[in-house]
Amino acid sequence: MDPALLPLPGLISDTDAPDCDEAVPWRAVPVSRALAWGDEAALLLRERARLGPVFRRGERVILLDPAFNRLVLDDDGALFPRAEPGGALALDTAVLERVLAAELARWREGTIRFQPAMAMALARALVPAVTGLAPGSGAAERLANALSTLDEGRSLLRRAMPRGLPSSPIGARQALAQGLRAAGADAPGLVDSLQASHALALRALGTLVRHLADTPDWQDTLRAEVRSPHRLSTPAGVETATQDGLRELVDMATCEALRLMPAPVLVERRLLAPLAIGAHRLEAGTRVAISPAATHADPALWPDPQHFDPLRFARLRTAERAPGAWIAADVLPAPVAPVVIAATRLGVAHLLARFGLATAGEGASCCCVVQIEGAPIEGAPIEGAPIEGRAD
């Protein structure tokens, strides 16, 4: 075997590695056929069942196995270029929680459409928690107005931008950059990190709220935990994988929401050195890709993968699961991952502390709402199950 080849520990042995002089035919998926399918994750799983965990699609080699996920994500620069270093956002968690609680307390009688309302609440909490601006100050409010319009380039709320900037995602991004500079928060990449934190936390919260609306038992269990000043035992004495011992079930539900929410179909890297996988030799320069979306929807790893089950993240079940089966936190942008997880945990905890969630019935599934007795609060509809709430 060529010493330049790097076999993958645990998946192949030296005797499985290819002879360097042999050309092993690739099993390939025609790109045109791949693009014709709507559900990329399901297509990848079907092709894995037909071709095995390593196959070529166009110029990419697709690797579909939890061990391959860890190979790519844990690499220290030996196989793949190192990611550009990026410092985590400086987050004041106390400020984030305090402002989120205050914003949710402002939700009055009526019907609140979840996504635009939560977009504004998250923006008002994230801006002072990251920049140090006083919550509710003019500068913080202008930044929150700009941030709340951004969700991966789509406008959630149409607002007039400061100084005549257009009411659009582009104008909002310009206003956000100008406001951050004026506030002295001009660290490289801060605009992108703040926008990504807001968009991903909003998506994770929306995913979690929709599933809790359909699972009242889980909703009641989490509500009991967040309302209790003491640590609660988990159902049937199940140990959890959380570290702080507080809001254990909320942590588990957050992990499950991150698994269920839309993930990148492919995460791509370019090999720096030859790599032997099974009967194939991958040359330096080969583009390889793993699939978080397919991994999180794989019934071999997650029985009934579309079912919402936070107990998947109980300690015993986590220990039994293959490393690399849950990679939601790994594929979030490194600077924002802690912010997204913290905002999701705190957001759902304060929502459940104040409101009860329930599906609103047939014909209303085009929007996600919090219904409280009284007049409606206007907002743009989003996809998802409606939820019905009550003020304490």
Side-chain angles (χ1 to χ4, degrees):
M1 175 182 174
D2 187 336
L5 289 175
L6 299 177
L8 190 60
L11 291 182
I12 64 173
S13 66
D14 289 346
T15 58
D16 296 321
D19 188 327
C20 299
D21 296 327
E22 289 187 22
V24 181
W26 275 100
R27 297 176 178 180
V29 180
V31 175
S32 59
R33 176 181 163 198
L35 296 178
W37 291 78
D39 188 342
E40 279 283 291
L43 170 63
L44 288 170
L45 291 174
R46 286 194 295 270
E47 296 298 350
R48 186 191 64 183
R50 187 172 67 90
L51 302 175
V54 182
F55 55 89
R56 188 180 290 277
R57 176 186 286 184
E59 296 181 354
R60 297 187 186 93
V61 174
I62 309 297
L63 307 176
L64 291 185
D65 187 277
F68 296 148
N69 294 340
R70 293 268 54 100
L71 172 78
V72 172
L73 296 172
D74 295 343
D75 180 64
D76 60 1
L79 289 175
F80 307 100
R82 290 180 181 272
E84 290 295 326
L89 286 177
L91 179 71
D92 189 327
T93 307
V95 170
L96 178 69
E97 181 165 17
R98 185 171 70 250
V99 179
L100 265 178
E103 285 297 311
L104 294 179
R106 296 170 59 177
W107 290 11
R108 297 305 183 192
E109 296 183 10
T111 300
I112 299 176
R113 299 187 187 271
F114 178 80
Q115 184 156 335
M118 183 53 76
M120 194 67 224
L122 270 177
R124 285 177 168 152
L126 282 172
V127 166
V130 170
T131 66
L133 291 170
S137 65
E141 192 68 8
R142 286 190 294 273
L143 286 173
N145 285 340
L147 183 59
S148 67
T149 69
L150 297 172
D151 181 16
E152 294 185 346
R154 297 187 298 274
S155 179
L156 293 174
L157 303 174
R158 293 287 180 175
R159 296 176 178 272
M161 292 295 102
R163 300 182 182 179
L165 289 173
S167 178
S168 69
I170 294 175
R173 185 175 173 84
Q174 292 173 353
L176 184 62
Q178 292 176 5
L180 289 171
R181 285 196 298 270
D186 54 358
L190 181 58
V191 173
D192 291 335
S193 294
L194 191 56
Q195 179 181 346
S197 297
H198 180 267
L200 291 168
L202 182 62
R203 187 184 303 176
L205 271 169
T207 300
L208 186 47
V209 163
R210 288 197 302 271
H211 285 284
L212 288 175
D214 292 328
T215 52
D217 290 345
W218 265 111
Q219 184 185 152
D220 292 342
T221 300
L222 297 186
R223 182 177 296 109
E225 182 182 61
V226 300
R227 286 180 172 175
S228 173
H230 308 293
R231 174 175 174 169
L232 299 182
S233 298
T234 54
V238 175
E239 292 185 348
T240 69
T242 54
Q243 301 298 317
D244 58 13
L246 301 174
R247 293 179 179 167
E248 294 174 323
L249 298 176
V250 169
D251 289 350
M252 293 160 62
T254 299
C255 290
E256 178 71 339
L258 291 172
R259 182 189 70 83
L260 287 166
M261 83 176 196
V265 174
L266 295 176
V267 173
E268 186 177 301
R269 298 287 189 270
R270 191 177 293 274
L271 275 171
L272 295 175
L275 176 68
I277 296 182
H280 299 286
R281 168 180 173 147
L282 307 185
E283 301 291 348
T286 301
R287 294 163 58 190
V288 303
I290 60 173
S291 177
T295 298
H296 291 160
D298 187 350
L301 302 172
W302 308 95
D304 194 4
Q306 300 307 315
H307 176 63
F308 176 72
D309 180 12
L311 286 180
R312 298 181 200 270
F313 294 89
R315 186 186 300 274
L316 291 179
R317 291 172 68 175
T318 299
E320 294 170 355
R321 191 161 50 244
W326 187 76
I327 54 176
D330 298 278
V331 298
L332 290 173
V336 309
V339 181
V340 172
I341 294 170
T344 304
R345 294 174 69 247
L346 295 173
V348 75
H350 285 285
L351 271 171
L352 290 174
R354 297 189 64 83
F355 305 111
L357 316 177
T359 53
E362 295 183 7
S365 61
C366 62
C367 61
C368 185
V369 299
V370 178
Q371 291 182 344
I372 314 170
E373 294 181 2
I377 297 175
E378 295 299 331
I382 64 166
E383 291 185 359
I387 59 177
E388 185 176 19
R390 59 181 180 274
D392 291 332

